[in-house]
């Protein structure tokens, strides 16, 4: 059996500046990777480890998911999250849910249900049924950003920078457990300042997909990810015989020709890790079975990389 393996991300973009800089982001991501790895070593399943990692990332205000989610055009926070069990090939999730602390918990509960994807009203009713405490994920920083945007009718130059980074904000976790099972979870606060009712990629197979051979989580411009059906495309290519790295390389070459703006992380059932990006920065960190590493200092633009335990 392969060693437990983890790769996770805190979004993508053009800069680490709005997240506090390189070292704080690295510390946050590496700490969360360590906690997920420890849980796996203690016997956590892939699904349990993914939910743990997503909860930790949702609770970190520097990332756009859970606490610290960006505000939509009407000043409200609406979050989306999904979870996929690769062994069962089962996807569950919530879309545009409000006033919960960890949307991934709702996605986790829905794994056992016949109706596994719920939108805003249904997700709110589920949270009520589960008696989850009402939670306000708004932070002072996110409120300030929205107020600055609003002063200039969302046209100010400072606000444009905020909006540019916000719309790439997502978190994701991909895990291979000690039994060789894969799982993936993805969560987001949306792109910020969007039209009410807009649906991101994060709760769809385009942004979050797994089977028994590979699992992928995406981040970046949601509409670009949807147009490419990116996560599902990479997983299908692995299923059809490509290596994980080759599937990433082919998919990202195609995306570059269409000027897409996003990143993705993935694992296969042998423990190979891969990542790719067309944007400048991919906030990803991983445990390859031996060491913790990250992608925070990759050169700008198209980059695809991997770690293969068999090489």
């Amino acid at each position: 059996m392969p060693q437990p393996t983890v790769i996770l991300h805190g979004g993508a973009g053009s800069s680490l500046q709005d997240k506090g800089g390189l070292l704080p982001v690295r510390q946050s991501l590496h700490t969360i990777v360590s906690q997920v790895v420890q849980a796996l070593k203690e016997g956590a399943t892939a699904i349990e480890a993914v939910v743990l990692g997503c909860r930790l990332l949702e609770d970190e205000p520097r990332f756009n998911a859970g606490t610290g989610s960006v505000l939509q055009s009407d000043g409200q926070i609406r979050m989306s999250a999904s979870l996929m069990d690769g062994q069962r090939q089962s996807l569950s999730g919530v879309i545009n849910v409000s006033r919960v602390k960890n949307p991934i918990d709702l996605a986790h509960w829905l794994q056992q249900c016949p109706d596994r994807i719920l939108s805003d009203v249904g997700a709110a009713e589920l949270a009520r049924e589960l008696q989850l405490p009402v939670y306000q994920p708004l932070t002072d920083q996110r409120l300030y950003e929205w107020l600055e945007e609003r002063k200039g009718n969302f046209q100010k130059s400072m606000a444009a920078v905020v909006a540019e980074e916000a719309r790439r904000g997502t978190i994701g976790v991909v895990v291979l457990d000690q039994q060789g099972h894969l799982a993936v979870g993805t969560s987001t606060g949306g792109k910020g300042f969007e039209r009410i009712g807009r649906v991101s990629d994060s709760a769809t197979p385009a942004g979050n997909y797994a089977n028994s051979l590979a699992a992928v989580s995406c981040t970046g411009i949601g509409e670009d990810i949807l147009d490419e059906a990116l996560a599902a495309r990479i997983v299908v290519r692995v299923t059809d015989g490509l290596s994980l790295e080759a599937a990433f390389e082919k998919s990202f070459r195609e995306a570059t020709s269409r000027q897409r703006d996003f990143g993705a992380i993935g694992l296969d059932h042998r423990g190979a890790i891969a990542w790719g990006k067309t944007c400048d920065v991919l906030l990803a960190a991983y445990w390859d079975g031996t060491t913790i590493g990250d992608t925070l200092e990759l050169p700008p633009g198209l980059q695809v990389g991997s770690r293969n335990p068999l090489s």
Side-chain angles (χ1 to χ4, degrees), residues 151-278:
K151 284 179 183 177
N153 195 27
F154 303 101
Q155 300 298 318
K156 292 181 66 175
S157 58
M158 171 268 181
V161 174
V162 173
E164 179 70 13
E165 292 308 308
R167 67 188 183 138
R168 296 183 174 101
T170 315
I171 64 92
V173 181
V174 192
V175 165
L176 177 70
D177 67 19
Q178 294 187 80
Q179 305 306 311
H181 296 163
L182 290 159
V184 59
T186 306
S187 180
T188 186
K191 67 180 181 180
F193 321 114
E194 64 263 60
R195 181 186 292 271
I196 300 168
R198 181 254 185 185
V199 175
S200 79
D201 66 284
S202 297
T204 76
N208 189 73
Y209 198 75
N211 63 14
S212 61
L213 298 177
V216 173
S217 172
C218 302
T219 180
I221 304 296
E223 283 71 15
D224 286 358
I225 294 167
L226 287 163
D227 288 344
E228 294 291 322
L230 184 61
R233 175 175 293 188
I234 293 171
V235 171
V236 167
R237 282 175 164 161
V238 174
T239 305
D240 287 346
L242 285 184
S243 69
L244 184 67
E245 183 177 17
F248 265 75
E249 287 177 346
K250 183 175 178 63
S251 300
F252 274 83
R253 276 200 312 272
E254 293 170 347
T256 301
S257 72
R258 290 186 278 269
Q259 299 182 315
R260 306 302 193 190
D261 186 345
F262 50 47
I265 58 173
L267 288 174
D268 74 10
H269 68 294
R270 296 185 180 91
I273 294 172
W275 60 83
K277 68 178 185 69
T278 60

Side-chain angles (χ1 to χ4, degrees), residues 285-307:
Y286 56 84
W287 166 260
D288 62 9
T290 305
T291 59
I292 292 179
D294 62 57
T295 66
L296 298 179
E297 296 184 274
L298 293 177
L302 176 65
Q303 298 288 328
V304 175
S306 65
R307 291 287 184 275

Side-chain angles (χ1 to χ4, degrees), residues 4 21 23 34 63 67 77 82 84 100-101 106 155 204 219 226 250 257 262 278 307:
L23 293 181
S34 296
F63 303 125
T67 302
I77 290 174
S82 66
M84 190 154 189
V100 297
K101 189 171 190 284
L106 295 173
Q155 300 298 318
T204 76
T219 180
L226 287 163
K250 183 175 178 63
S257 72
F262 50 47
T278 60
R307 291 287 184 275

